[in-house]
């Protein structure tokens, strides 16, 4: 019984280090999400300044009367109830199936800053998915750690 208690303590130590590493990764990812989001917002403001506030505004966005469209990037989970990993699914532009490029809402020749803003926001979404996967791994590790604590107390 003494050896198993020692093994449990070693596993708890390793799991605690993993939890701390995952927490550090999560904080770094959230900082990167914020940086990319802020950069994208500044680039959108620059595009709006260059093109004028009527050219890049909410009036270009689709309304209820606009034709239906599908997102070019969607979220894919491995299971609905308790996903262990999420990923992004990229779709190509296909007007027949409803996949359109949203940057075309702002005209054919869009400013470089608007294209860069789109890339920043796309990177932000990718980072959000990575952060979600880190959170899922962190939650799993915390559940395992709690199970080991219960085993240690009961032995």
């Amino acid at each position: 019984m003494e050896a198993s208690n020692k093994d449990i303590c070693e596993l708890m130590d390793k799991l605690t280090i993993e939890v701390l590493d995952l927490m550090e990764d999560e904080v770094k990812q959230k900082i990167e999400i914020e940086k990319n989001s802020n950069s994208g917002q500044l680039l959108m403001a620059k595009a709006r300044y260059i093109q004028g506030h009527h050219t890049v505004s909410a009036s270009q966005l689709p309304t209820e009367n606009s034709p239906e469209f599908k997102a070019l990037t969607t979220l894919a989970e491995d299971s609905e109830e308790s996903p262990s990993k999420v990923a992004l699914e990229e779709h190509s532009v296909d007007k027949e199936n409803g996949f359109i490029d949203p940057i075309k809402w702002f005209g054919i020749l869009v400013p470089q800053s608007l294209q860069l803003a789109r890339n920043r926001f796309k990177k932000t979404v990718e980072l959000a998915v990575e952060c979600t996967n880190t959170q899922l791994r962190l939650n799993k590790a915390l559940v395992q750690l709690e199970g080991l604590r219960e085993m240690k107390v009961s032995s």
Side-chain angles (χ1 to χ4, degrees):
M1 192 185 287
E2 190 65 36
S4 68
N5 198 12
K6 183 179 178 184
D7 292 339
I8 290 173
C9 287
E10 286 178 12
L11 282 172
M12 286 178 67
D13 290 344
K14 289 178 184 177
L15 212 49
T16 302
I17 291 171
E18 181 181 347
V19 165
L20 291 173
D21 285 341
L22 288 170
M23 285 180 177
E24 181 182 6
D25 291 345
E26 182 183 17
V27 169
K28 287 178 182 177
Q29 288 166 343
K30 286 183 178 182
I31 290 170
E32 282 300 310
I33 288 170
E34 187 173 349
K35 284 180 185 176
N36 275 298
S37 180
N38 289 341
S39 176
Q41 290 173 12
L42 285 173
L43 287 165
M44 287 238 342
K46 184 177 178 181
R48 194 173 167 163
Y49 178 76
I50 291 169
Q51 292 290 105
H53 67 280
H54 294 295
T55 309
V56 180
S57 68
S59 62
Q60 274 72 38
L61 299 177
T63 61
E64 293 175 3
N65 301 333
S66 300
E68 292 289 318
F69 64 92
K70 297 178 184 174
L72 290 176
T73 305
T74 55
L75 189 66
E77 299 175 347
D78 56 358
S79 71
E80 288 290 323
E81 295 167 10
S82 61
S84 61
K85 188 173 182 174
V86 293
L88 290 176
E89 287 181 355
E90 298 286 333
H91 304 281
S92 60
V93 175
D94 183 9
K95 289 184 181 181
E96 288 83 32
N97 291 326
F99 294 106
I100 60 169
D101 188 3
I103 204 156
K104 300 294 183 198
W105 295 334
F106 301 98
I108 295 172
L109 296 172
V110 294
Q112 179 80 19
S113 55
L114 190 59
Q115 292 175 359
L116 291 172
R118 174 178 65 171
N119 292 339
R120 297 290 171 147
F121 288 126
K122 197 173 193 179
K123 179 68 175 168
T124 301
V125 170
E126 291 169 1
L127 287 168
V129 168
E130 286 178 28
C131 189
T132 301
N133 287 328
T134 301
Q135 288 173 346
L136 290 170
R137 290 187 0 239
L138 179 61
N139 288 341
K140 183 179 176 183
L142 289 172
V143 167
Q144 290 174 344
L145 190 58
E146 186 59 34
L148 288 172
R149 278 190 193 125
E150 290 174 6
M151 285 176 55
K152 183 179 175 186
V153 169
S154 67
S155 62

